[in-house]
Amino acid sequence: MANNNENSPHKEELVKVDAEKEVIESSATQSESSKSGAKQKKSSGNGLLWFVVIILFLLVLGMAGAGYWYYMQQQSASQETVTAQQNNASQLNAIERERADILASIENVTRTNQALESTVAELKSQNEQLALQAESTLQQLNNMEGRRPADWLIAEADYLVRMAGRKLWLENDVRTAILLLVNADKRLKSLADPSVLPVRATLAEDIQTLQQLNPVSQSSVALALTGMIAQIDKLPLDTFEKPEDGNAQDTTLSESADDWQENLAKVWRSLVDDFLTVKSIEGPVEPVLSLEAQFLAKEQLRLQLMHAQTAALQGDEGLYSQSLQYAQTLLTEKFDTEKSQVTGFMDALQNLSATDIARPIPTELASQKPLERLLDSRVKQVFGQGASAL
């Protein structure tokens, strides 16, 4: 019993200790649970804050992008506006230029119309004057008594005489001038009027004067000289010719190898002979003409014949004779006179030198002035101003 009483206090102490341990352990577990809860609450709060920050950052980025997009749209719109303004300005300038051109064209057309109106007015006045003149001429024709229509042949004869003078002085065509004068005389002869006989006498005098001129055709002489000029290049020149060597040795090489000594001697002789050669020539020494000298001799001959051709066409007898004489001298000195070509050429030059190309053409026709006076008295005085067109 006593032992049970002694052990009871110990048991109570052990129970208290165990209770205290449980209390301490429970408090420790509660403190740990409270710490873990606080930690859980803190981590959930941080996550919500980061979410809000991210949302705000995205909103800022979106607003920045929208602002940049709006800025770019404004820039492009302003650039398009400037471009449109420039285009409008250029179009306005073009329109202004077109307007100025149109105004200038209108002014030119106006001036042209004014000039045309003045010209039309002048033409109208001229037409009125011509109409009045035609009426007066018709009245003169109707009132003319004893008119002779054959007198118009006088105007034809005057025209033929004028044409004969042109052929004679401008073209030196004597034959055509004679034919025109003969036709003019036929026109006057057909009138059967004794009053035109003095004019016909002057026509006969002109025809006789032209028929007594030199009948040689200057164009025929010029054509003959043209044919001779074409033969100059074929004429042989009097040039030096190398004489043939009668003592020339055979320098033909043999094809046989055994004749090498003879071939070597031939080669040596050909070298020595070509290096220096002395020949004896009998007769006078003639100079050697170079290619330039030969060309110059032929060109000099051609030039003299061309001068003679020009003188023949112009009727210049002095220049014609001088040119042919100098050409004969060139043939004698520069060309081979022993060849038949050169001798025939010289004979042709001598024949041309003996040809008389002089043709003293009269400075005026004796029938021209009398015929003009006859035309004035028989036609122009009758028809007045209407005959001024003759």
Side-chain angles (χ1 to χ4, degrees):
M1 289 299 288
N3 290 332
N4 292 330
N5 289 330
E6 290 177 358
N7 291 329
S8 59
H10 290 291
K11 290 181 181 178
E12 291 178 358
E13 290 177 357
L14 293 170
V15 171
K16 290 180 180 179
V17 171
D18 293 332
E20 289 177 356
K21 288 181 178 179
E22 291 178 358
V23 171
I24 292 168
E25 290 176 357
S26 62
S27 61
T29 56
Q30 289 177 358
S31 61
E32 289 178 359
S33 63
S34 61
K35 288 180 179 179
S36 63
K39 289 180 179 179
Q40 291 177 357
K41 290 179 180 179
K42 187 176 181 180
S43 62
S44 62
N46 291 330
L48 180 60
L49 179 61
W50 281 107
F51 178 74
V52 173
V53 169
I54 291 170
I55 292 300
L56 291 174
F57 180 73
L58 292 176
L59 289 174
V60 170
L61 288 178
M63 291 177 67
Y68 178 74
W69 178 80
Y70 179 74
Y71 174 76
M72 294 301 294
Q73 291 295 325
Q74 290 295 326
Q75 288 292 112
S76 62
S78 63
Q79 185 67 28
E80 290 177 356
T81 302
V82 172
T83 304
Q85 291 178 354
Q86 293 178 353
N87 292 331
N88 291 331
S90 63
Q91 291 178 359
L92 288 174
N93 293 330
I95 291 171
E96 288 293 332
R97 289 194 296 270
E98 290 179 356
R99 181 173 175 274
D101 294 337
I102 291 171
L103 290 176
S105 300
I106 291 173
E107 292 178 357
N108 292 330
V109 171
T110 303
R111 288 194 296 270
T112 305
N113 289 332
Q114 293 176 355
L116 289 175
E117 289 177 357
S118 63
T119 304
V120 169
E122 292 177 358
L123 290 175
K124 286 182 179 179
S125 62
Q126 291 178 2
N127 288 331
E128 292 176 356
Q129 293 177 0
L130 290 174
L132 294 174
Q133 185 177 355
E135 290 178 359
S136 63
T137 304
L138 288 174
Q139 290 177 0
Q140 290 178 1
L141 289 174
N142 293 327
N143 297 327
M144 186 174 59
E145 295 180 359
R147 62 178 182 268
R148 291 175 292 181
D151 287 344
W152 289 101
L153 294 174
I154 300 175
E156 294 182 4
D158 180 69
Y159 174 76
L160 292 173
V161 171
R162 292 176 185 271
M163 290 299 299
R166 292 177 184 177
K167 286 289 184 180
L168 189 62
W169 299 315
L170 297 180
E171 302 179 12
N172 293 330
D173 191 353
V174 179
R175 183 178 299 176
T176 305
I178 293 173
L179 291 177
L180 290 172
L181 292 176
V182 170
N183 288 326
D185 183 66
K186 290 180 180 179
R187 297 293 190 279
L188 296 179
K189 182 180 179 180
S190 63
L191 290 174
D193 189 353
S195 62
V196 298
L197 290 177
V199 179
R200 291 188 61 194
T202 56
L203 281 173
E205 181 182 353
D206 290 334
I207 294 171
Q208 187 65 27
T209 301
L210 295 181
Q211 287 178 349
Q212 290 177 357
L213 293 178
N214 186 6
V216 175
S217 176
Q218 296 175 347
S219 59
S220 300
V221 176
L223 291 175
L225 288 171
T226 301
M228 295 180 68
I229 290 172
Q231 300 295 326
I232 291 177
D233 292 332
K234 299 179 181 179
L235 297 177
L237 291 167
D238 188 11
T239 58
F240 174 76
E241 295 181 359
K242 184 179 178 181
E244 297 180 358
D245 188 6
N247 298 324
Q249 297 181 0
D250 186 13
T251 58
T252 304
L253 300 180
S254 175
E255 296 181 358
S256 176
D258 296 335
D259 299 334
W260 64 271
Q261 292 180 351
E262 185 178 355
N263 291 335
L264 183 61
K266 289 181 179 180
V267 171
W268 174 254
R269 283 196 303 271
S270 64
L271 290 175
V272 172
D273 293 340
D274 292 338
F275 183 75
L276 181 62
T277 305
V278 178
K279 301 293 182 182
S280 59
I281 301 175
E282 297 179 357
V285 178
E286 298 177 355
V288 179
L289 290 178
S290 62
L291 295 178
E292 292 80 3
Q294 295 177 16
F295 175 78
L296 181 61
K298 291 183 178 180
E299 290 300 318
Q300 287 178 346
L301 180 60
R302 182 178 286 108
L303 180 62
Q304 294 304 319
L305 294 183
M306 291 175 67
H307 286 169
Q309 186 180 32
T310 305
L313 292 174
Q314 295 177 354
D316 190 350
E317 187 178 6
L319 179 60
Y320 177 78
S321 300
Q322 182 180 359
S323 300
L324 291 182
Q325 184 177 1
Y326 188 69
Q328 291 176 358
T329 303
L330 287 174
L331 281 173
T332 304
E333 293 179 354
K334 302 294 183 180
F335 291 83
D336 191 358
T337 56
E338 296 181 356
K339 297 295 180 65
S340 60
Q341 297 175 352
V342 178
T343 55
F345 201 88
M346 292 182 66
D347 293 338
L349 284 180
Q350 290 177 358
N351 292 331
L352 289 175
S353 299
T355 303
D356 184 12
I357 63 167
R359 183 179 291 180
I361 296 176
T363 57
E364 62 179 357
L365 295 175
S367 60
Q368 188 170 0
K369 291 182 179 180
L371 191 58
E372 289 179 356
R373 289 193 295 267
L374 179 63
L375 183 64
D376 290 335
S377 61
R378 299 286 291 272
V379 178
K380 290 184 179 181
Q381 290 181 1
V382 176
F383 294 98
Q385 295 179 355
S388 60
L390 294 174

